[in-house]
Amino acid sequence: MSDERHVLVLPDHDAAEGAAEELADRFGVTDEPQLVRDALAGEDDAEDAQWLVVVEDPDHRLDPAALDAFAAEYEGWLEAP
C-alpha cells in the first residue's frame, strides 16, 4: 500500500498558510503540510501564482470530498490524483 498525498490548490499564499494551519485542527493532520508556489505557465509575477498545500496521508484516513469542501472555503480545490 503506497503513501497517499493530497494536493490542495489555493489562490494565494495567505489562503495556503491559513488552510495549512487549520488542517491540524480540522482533520488532525500531524505532519506539517508543505506549501509550494505554483506559478502559472509563462507568468513571473507572484500575483499570478497559485499555492499548493501538500498533505501526506500515509494511513489513508483523510476523506477527499471533505478536503475538497475545506479547500473551497479558501476559494480553492483538491487536485484530482
Side-chain angles (χ1 to χ4, degrees), residues 59-73:
D59 299 325
H60 300 270
R61 59 182 195 78
L62 298 175
D63 175 23
L67 286 172
D68 189 48
F70 172 75
E73 293 175 24

Side-chain angles (χ1 to χ4, degrees), residues 22-69:
E22 193 170 338
L23 277 165
D25 294 336
R26 182 93 60 100
F27 294 97
V29 173
T30 55
D31 291 339
E32 183 80 20
Q34 182 181 7
L35 299 181
V36 180
R37 182 178 178 269
D38 183 34
L40 300 176
E43 297 292 340
D44 293 326
D45 188 351
E47 294 299 314
D48 292 325
Q50 294 175 325
W51 282 79
L52 309 179
V53 178
V54 180
V55 183
E56 299 296 333
D57 184 20
D59 299 325
H60 300 270
R61 59 182 195 78
L62 298 175
D63 175 23
L67 286 172
D68 189 48

